[in-house]
Amino acid sequence: MASLFQLLFLNQKRSLSTKLSTTKWKVKQVTTSNFSESLKEIKTHISSSDFIAISMEKTGSSSATPWHRVQPFDTAETAYLKATQSAQRFQLLQFAVCPFSVTDSNKIVAHPYNFLLFPRDELKLGMPAYSFLCQPSHLASIARQGFDFNTCIYEGISYLSRAQESIAKIRLGTGSPSLGVMKSSSPPTVVDTVFIKRIRSRIKHWRNTCKNSGTKTSKHEEIIDSLRNIVLGSEQFKSRPCLNIDVCSERQVQLILQMIADFSDDFVSLVIPSKGGTTQAVRVVLANSREDKELLEKELQSLEDEESKKIRGFREVIDLISASEKPVISHNCLNDCTLIHSKFIAPLPSEVDDFVSSLCKFFPKVVDVNYLMKKSGTMKKSTNIRNALSYLNTHFFAPVDMEIPDQDTVNKGKTDGLDALRLSYLFMKLCSVLKISPIVTPLDNRQLVPELEDFAFHPCSANVQESSCNEDVTVWTNNTKKINCEHLVFLWGFKFGMTAGMLKSALRDSNDIFSEEFDVRFIDKSCAVVVFWQPGLSKDLVNVMNAEEISGGLKELISDGLRVTGYETYRTMCRLGLWEMNLAESLERALESSLSDEKISSERKPSEIQWCNDNVLNFDDL
Amino acid sequence: MKPRKLYSLALSRALSRALTSSTTPSQCAFPLKTVTVANFEPSLEELRHHVRSSDFVAIDLEMTGVTSSPWRESFEFDRSDVRYLKIRDSASRFAVVQFGVCPFRWDSSNQSFVAYPYNFYVFPRQELAGFGPCNEFLCQTTSINFLAKYQFDFNAFIHEGISYLSREQEKEAIRSLNSMHDSECSNISKLNDVRDLPSINMADILFTERMKNKFSEWRDGLLQEQSQPNQIQGTRKDSKQRFDVIFFKKHPALKLDGFTSRQLKLVQLVIKKHFKDLSYIKVNNAGSSSQQIVVYTDSEEELNLLLKEVNEENHRAKKMKIQAAVGFRHVIDLLSSEQKLIVGHNCFLDIAHVYNKFIGHLPGTPEEFVASVNKCFPHIVDTKLLMNTDNMLQVRMKKSRNSLGSAFSMFCPQIAAGSKSTELVSPSHVKIDVEVDDSRLSSWNPGGKHEAGYDAFMTGCIFAQLCCDLGVDFKLHESLKLATNEKLQKYINHLYLSWMHGDIIDLSTGDKVANSSPSYSPKRRYPNILFENIVIIWGFPSNVKSSDVRECISKVFGLTSVVSVYQLDATAVFVQFSKTEQVSDFLSLKENLERSNGPISVLHPLAKLLDGGNTCAANYDTYKEICGSPLSQDLFADQANAVTMTPKSKLIEFKVALRSEEHENPSLQDNVNDVAVNFVEKIKPNSIDQLRNVQSTGQASPFEIEDSRVAEANL
């Protein structure tokens, strides 16, 4: 007994000490004011690290409404649709990134950063977001944790997704081909030759004037010079003389560019775009010498970089992570990845398969810590990072040393975005509990340790928790008995205040269908799910409900307003995006539209239907 | 625990604000009373007093946004009912962040107005479980940025904003509370219902045993030595768990403190299983925290009596909580009950917000809305309308921008400058003092922050000056009833439904009023908008420009068939035909072309428009339906497809079914209302829109319009 107490005491002490150390952790806060230098810093840290832990804060979360959360009875498809909905509607407020390296079996070196984000419309194009949703309850809860909304909104870094960047470039006109890229594709026609001749003489004339302007003698000549400049359209560009030549087609642009390249090597040509994305004019700048030309070109290049940095904003960091191909550690993969995809890559595709393949192009390796914990049996319930950490602290002995080299340089007193750091700590602890050695040897740098490979985000573990490629789902979080989703029936319209037990007994008395084994689980106040452990009964029930004559207790229930529908309606509802507060309301609306909605079901790709059928058959064979 | 923490946070913030403001010279900024959760109660009482004695009250709102998507912005092709639907959408989606209230009182001794500007931070926090003001609200990025530009304090908004419940929500909360109370009264014994805990571990068993001993010890003590009930039962010093011996309604009782919810459940189980004369009671205090008490009772009857009493008390406490959750709406109730003249600047949207947030869901038609607003606020006047409809005033405005700020410096230069210097004060200018926290000021540094309280103050100042200019004599204060003053009569309760069109709606009658001012000249490029001649087309290929649309349709229906083409957003256009029947002709032709896949359809002039197979077209009523939908998509084409996918007729049947169940579903109801409105519309042509068309005769040829539009699009 005494030893037990001692152990408990020790445990308590240890958790106390780790608690102390976590409160001391600091995270470097990044806003618009220090973004460029932090970007350089994090670049080196990312390239030298083994893993990158990420965590995000949004303006709302789906957890406020129980059924909007991913439930155990969700298939990969519906879970993805739920995540999509939340990713699209809410806005990112902060993105914590923590590149870390494993130096020893229980030591990590971490470089935590927290980027504050705000979707400011830097380019006046209505991007990245015209509007976004906020959940007051969620905002209040992060406010309680001390989140500073003023800093976030005043100084948050903006961004554009890849898709938005290409749209922006077209609209700003910076996407058009620049100097010397294109070669004349077709042989020159007579018109072309005439055009070139004319332009060439004009440029020649202008060049001579420029070169001679230094030797002007009288006032008259000066006046003539300036008049000539006006006539020729000569201007100054970066304190060098330049000439704008208006063009009316892309062909002409090509011709001019080529001609100038052949003409003389002290010219730098620039394409001036119009608002519609076409070229308006070509600007020819006369450099003083070869060195001057190089200088000018360099200057232009850095200008362009600056511009595109302004366009991409925070996405630079995402691109760095993506380019590094380092394994990304996330706590709730599906939510994080849908969010990243919709904000930084492109709008989310409607099919989960497309999403996974698109994501894999950018993030080939994502490890879901939540899934890792569940799958390994360390922890059954999914919670947030902090709870998971304290659970591990109290239940396992797995000391992990955390070293944060830049602690002194980070802003004082700021602990926002600690979750990414905590996550890296949690990950390491978990590895040590599970006796996985995450240390990456230099040889197989691109590979994950095989034990971790199982938990990486790839099509078949795509979703979340338990679900899979097939249509089998569980209903209870603690009971992993799998069942085909066709055996589920959604039930609503019963009396307010019923418990699962009451509903179950009422159902049992109502009809013969319920004489077999079945279970009831409430999803929210308005709706319950009924599980038939025998195949076919779910269809029978729906048929009975739609039949002309209903008898017995079921009739009574129906007259009270009881409604029943199968899993297909639930799926339709998720597809249509009917996210009402109550599941019952959404299902009701889905039923309304499902009649007119054969279009949607037939739109589902044939391969997918086969895929479903296969699985259903397999299940029956078993 | 949480509210207390929040309160302390709010307090510390208020303190820090007070400190910082005291360090800066008091004359620095415009004096303004900022109200948050921390000082709401006393400020409300103060405001109550000021509103009662005021002559009029100016209001202004700051919102998180105005339009939820680009196509919901105001267009010239919006009929007044569509315009209302857009306002309704805006008011129901966005949140109010700041509410400025500024009562103005005529001080006859000083011959000046005294203004009491209040600036309320409002946040839709959920104070009652299940009955929040709203579950989510939308933010428009540009609006948030605008607020940020003026250093709006978002932390104050979220940390300390005052919450509210609308009248409808309060009613709903009370109804559900009463029904719960009734069911509890019917079986009072249920109060003690405990369900078994699913899994019991070793610690639980040890704890249970300890509790059992403790309670039996205490009870035995009670029974044996009635004289020593105050003896504190061996509470361990190191433990947080405490048993305080108290008397609860004249019964000896133990107050439990510092237990976890699981431990409390175990306590409940122990008591139920082992002690017949002890009972576990949860008491809700008027404050937010609830208390767990174990009470000793002699008999069953006594217990039942006690339980009933507790139940009543809990009920009362919950009612108090609902009352407290009403929060900021008390201000609105005050304005409504005092029936003062409400002054706003271009305030139709503001009024819609007030209605949606504090009264109930916005009705489906402008007429219904206006009628219910009139019941709550019988006298409303809009300074923007006042400035623009009166000829004399308009000359003074000299067609300058009439934003609130520029109007303020135009009409009240001496106040805008904030100076006391007498040179600026001419006799024609109304003198206005500001009083905050009983200190009266007449000078401050110019250029107040862009805050609702300051905006309300400016609006009030403009109104006072306008009244003066219109010849209202404040000096005859005994008879000063601004709301019924005949010089103001033709402006009161007239609001711009749409400033762009100059549509004015009369709140007291629901009629639309044509703009009588001859000099009123809205910048209108599209004369003669005939809504029944309009087709809306969306989902066409992205390379099709509005000029292409015109070209395609002109090829089929003749050169003069298309009066104008208006680009709604990148995915949709309005096409106005010269004849009404061309609308149906076009729609049926489109359908025919889509049905046949032959060479004719490929070579047909419309093929370019229909290319891709996603092109849809509909008449104006469908546009209205799309605008009234609760769905929200960024692109019009997506929105239109989403709306037209669900059949409307179904919804009516469904609604009827729902009504019978006494369910309330606002969004659905709205939809049904829209359908109903559609029917009304067919019977009664829209008067204002006709008026508008009569007024303006075509000055520009349609082609010019078209070209200018295209040119603009290309810019």
Side-chain angles (χ1 to χ4, degrees), chain A residues 602-613:
Chain A
S602 64
E603 257 173 25
R604 297 181 65 197
K605 282 180 280 163
S607 66
E608 200 193 352
I609 287 168
Q610 254 179 9
W611 172 70
C612 295
N613 288 343

PDB file of all heavy atoms in Angstrom, chain A residues 602-613:
ATOM      1  N   SER A 602     -27.292  10.100 -58.903  1.00  0.00           N
ATOM      2  CA  SER A 602     -26.766   9.557 -60.151  1.00  0.00           C
ATOM      3  C   SER A 602     -25.445  10.222 -60.509  1.00  0.00           C
ATOM      4  O   SER A 602     -24.668   9.691 -61.274  1.00  0.00           O
ATOM      5  CB  SER A 602     -27.777   9.758 -61.277  1.00  0.00           C
ATOM      6  OG  SER A 602     -27.950  11.138 -61.497  1.00  0.00           O
ATOM      7  N   GLU A 603     -25.218  11.406 -59.916  1.00  0.00           N
ATOM      8  CA  GLU A 603     -23.969  12.086 -60.204  1.00  0.00           C
ATOM      9  C   GLU A 603     -22.768  11.388 -59.574  1.00  0.00           C
ATOM     10  O   GLU A 603     -21.644  11.598 -59.955  1.00  0.00           O
ATOM     11  CB  GLU A 603     -24.030  13.514 -59.655  1.00  0.00           C
ATOM     12  CG  GLU A 603     -24.281  14.539 -60.725  1.00  0.00           C
ATOM     13  CD  GLU A 603     -24.497  15.909 -60.131  1.00  0.00           C
ATOM     14  OE1 GLU A 603     -24.010  16.151 -59.015  1.00  0.00           O
ATOM     15  OE2 GLU A 603     -25.149  16.710 -60.791  1.00  0.00           O
ATOM     16  N   ARG A 604     -23.038  10.597 -58.570  1.00  0.00           N
ATOM     17  CA  ARG A 604     -21.929   9.929 -57.902  1.00  0.00           C
ATOM     18  C   ARG A 604     -21.213   9.057 -58.912  1.00  0.00           C
ATOM     19  O   ARG A 604     -21.827   8.369 -59.707  1.00  0.00           O
ATOM     20  CB  ARG A 604     -22.453   9.076 -56.748  1.00  0.00           C
ATOM     21  CG  ARG A 604     -23.102   9.924 -55.696  1.00  0.00           C
ATOM     22  CD  ARG A 604     -23.585   9.073 -54.578  1.00  0.00           C
ATOM     23  NE  ARG A 604     -22.492   8.436 -53.892  1.00  0.00           N
ATOM     24  CZ  ARG A 604     -22.669   7.393 -53.091  1.00  0.00           C
ATOM     25  NH1 ARG A 604     -23.850   6.871 -52.924  1.00  0.00           N
ATOM     26  NH2 ARG A 604     -21.650   6.873 -52.473  1.00  0.00           N
ATOM     27  N   LYS A 605     -19.939   9.109 -58.837  1.00  0.00           N
ATOM     28  CA  LYS A 605     -19.164   8.459 -59.879  1.00  0.00           C
ATOM     29  C   LYS A 605     -19.439   6.956 -59.893  1.00  0.00           C
ATOM     30  O   LYS A 605     -19.560   6.338 -58.845  1.00  0.00           O
ATOM     31  CB  LYS A 605     -17.671   8.706 -59.650  1.00  0.00           C
ATOM     32  CG  LYS A 605     -17.259  10.094 -60.088  1.00  0.00           C
ATOM     33  CD  LYS A 605     -15.800  10.304 -59.865  1.00  0.00           C
ATOM     34  CE  LYS A 605     -15.565  10.633 -58.428  1.00  0.00           C
ATOM     35  NZ  LYS A 605     -14.200  10.489 -58.016  1.00  0.00           N
ATOM     36  N   PRO A 606     -19.536   6.391 -61.084  1.00  0.00           N
ATOM     37  CA  PRO A 606     -19.850   4.968 -61.171  1.00  0.00           C
ATOM     38  C   PRO A 606     -18.859   4.108 -60.392  1.00  0.00           C
ATOM     39  O   PRO A 606     -19.238   3.125 -59.758  1.00  0.00           O
ATOM     40  CB  PRO A 606     -19.793   4.668 -62.673  1.00  0.00           C
ATOM     41  CG  PRO A 606     -19.220   5.901 -63.310  1.00  0.00           C
ATOM     42  CD  PRO A 606     -19.452   7.014 -62.391  1.00  0.00           C
ATOM     43  N   SER A 607     -17.609   4.487 -60.426  1.00  0.00           N
ATOM     44  CA  SER A 607     -16.598   3.691 -59.726  1.00  0.00           C
ATOM     45  C   SER A 607     -16.932   3.621 -58.250  1.00  0.00           C
ATOM     46  O   SER A 607     -16.773   2.590 -57.599  1.00  0.00           O
ATOM     47  CB  SER A 607     -15.220   4.303 -59.924  1.00  0.00           C
ATOM     48  OG  SER A 607     -15.183   5.554 -59.287  1.00  0.00           O
ATOM     49  N   GLU A 608     -17.449   4.710 -57.771  1.00  0.00           N
ATOM     50  CA  GLU A 608     -17.727   4.749 -56.356  1.00  0.00           C
ATOM     51  C   GLU A 608     -18.882   3.830 -56.004  1.00  0.00           C
ATOM     52  O   GLU A 608     -18.883   3.188 -54.969  1.00  0.00           O
ATOM     53  CB  GLU A 608     -18.050   6.176 -55.951  1.00  0.00           C
ATOM     54  CG  GLU A 608     -17.877   6.399 -54.479  1.00  0.00           C
ATOM     55  CD  GLU A 608     -18.498   7.696 -54.059  1.00  0.00           C
ATOM     56  OE1 GLU A 608     -18.910   8.466 -54.939  1.00  0.00           O
ATOM     57  OE2 GLU A 608     -18.570   7.914 -52.845  1.00  0.00           O
ATOM     58  N   ILE A 609     -19.849   3.806 -56.876  1.00  0.00           N
ATOM     59  CA  ILE A 609     -20.993   2.946 -56.615  1.00  0.00           C
ATOM     60  C   ILE A 609     -20.537   1.493 -56.566  1.00  0.00           C
ATOM     61  O   ILE A 609     -20.892   0.732 -55.688  1.00  0.00           O
ATOM     62  CB  ILE A 609     -22.079   3.156 -57.696  1.00  0.00           C
ATOM     63  CG1 ILE A 609     -22.738   4.513 -57.445  1.00  0.00           C
ATOM     64  CG2 ILE A 609     -23.109   2.060 -57.645  1.00  0.00           C
ATOM     65  CD1 ILE A 609     -23.608   4.986 -58.544  1.00  0.00           C
ATOM     66  N   GLN A 610     -19.685   1.162 -57.532  1.00  0.00           N
ATOM     67  CA  GLN A 610     -19.142  -0.192 -57.544  1.00  0.00           C
ATOM     68  C   GLN A 610     -18.410  -0.498 -56.250  1.00  0.00           C
ATOM     69  O   GLN A 610     -18.583  -1.542 -55.654  1.00  0.00           O
ATOM     70  CB  GLN A 610     -18.153  -0.320 -58.702  1.00  0.00           C
ATOM     71  CG  GLN A 610     -18.717  -1.120 -59.846  1.00  0.00           C
ATOM     72  CD  GLN A 610     -17.740  -1.206 -60.973  1.00  0.00           C
ATOM     73  OE1 GLN A 610     -16.582  -0.807 -60.835  1.00  0.00           O
ATOM     74  NE2 GLN A 610     -18.184  -1.728 -62.089  1.00  0.00           N
ATOM     75  N   TRP A 611     -17.659   0.471 -55.887  1.00  0.00           N
ATOM     76  CA  TRP A 611     -16.847   0.360 -54.685  1.00  0.00           C
ATOM     77  C   TRP A 611     -17.741   0.075 -53.483  1.00  0.00           C
ATOM     78  O   TRP A 611     -17.488  -0.797 -52.673  1.00  0.00           O
ATOM     79  CB  TRP A 611     -16.104   1.679 -54.565  1.00  0.00           C
ATOM     80  CG  TRP A 611     -15.329   1.959 -53.348  1.00  0.00           C
ATOM     81  CD1 TRP A 611     -14.177   1.366 -52.969  1.00  0.00           C
ATOM     82  CD2 TRP A 611     -15.623   2.931 -52.369  1.00  0.00           C
ATOM     83  NE1 TRP A 611     -13.737   1.916 -51.814  1.00  0.00           N
ATOM     84  CE2 TRP A 611     -14.592   2.872 -51.425  1.00  0.00           C
ATOM     85  CE3 TRP A 611     -16.642   3.853 -52.202  1.00  0.00           C
ATOM     86  CZ2 TRP A 611     -14.574   3.706 -50.310  1.00  0.00           C
ATOM     87  CZ3 TRP A 611     -16.606   4.681 -51.113  1.00  0.00           C
ATOM     88  CH2 TRP A 611     -15.588   4.600 -50.174  1.00  0.00           C
ATOM     89  N   CYS A 612     -18.858   0.770 -53.446  1.00  0.00           N
ATOM     90  CA  CYS A 612     -19.810   0.529 -52.364  1.00  0.00           C
ATOM     91  C   CYS A 612     -20.360  -0.875 -52.457  1.00  0.00           C
ATOM     92  O   CYS A 612     -20.377  -1.623 -51.490  1.00  0.00           O
ATOM     93  CB  CYS A 612     -20.985   1.491 -52.449  1.00  0.00           C
ATOM     94  SG  CYS A 612     -20.505   3.166 -52.185  1.00  0.00           S
ATOM     95  N   ASN A 613     -20.789  -1.219 -53.673  1.00  0.00           N
ATOM     96  CA  ASN A 613     -21.402  -2.530 -53.848  1.00  0.00           C
ATOM     97  C   ASN A 613     -20.453  -3.642 -53.429  1.00  0.00           C
ATOM     98  O   ASN A 613     -20.835  -4.583 -52.761  1.00  0.00           O
ATOM     99  CB  ASN A 613     -21.803  -2.732 -55.317  1.00  0.00           C
ATOM    100  CG  ASN A 613     -23.003  -1.867 -55.650  1.00  0.00           C
ATOM    101  OD1 ASN A 613     -23.690  -1.406 -54.735  1.00  0.00           O
ATOM    102  ND2 ASN A 613     -23.235  -1.643 -56.921  1.00  0.00           N
TER     103      ASN A 613
END
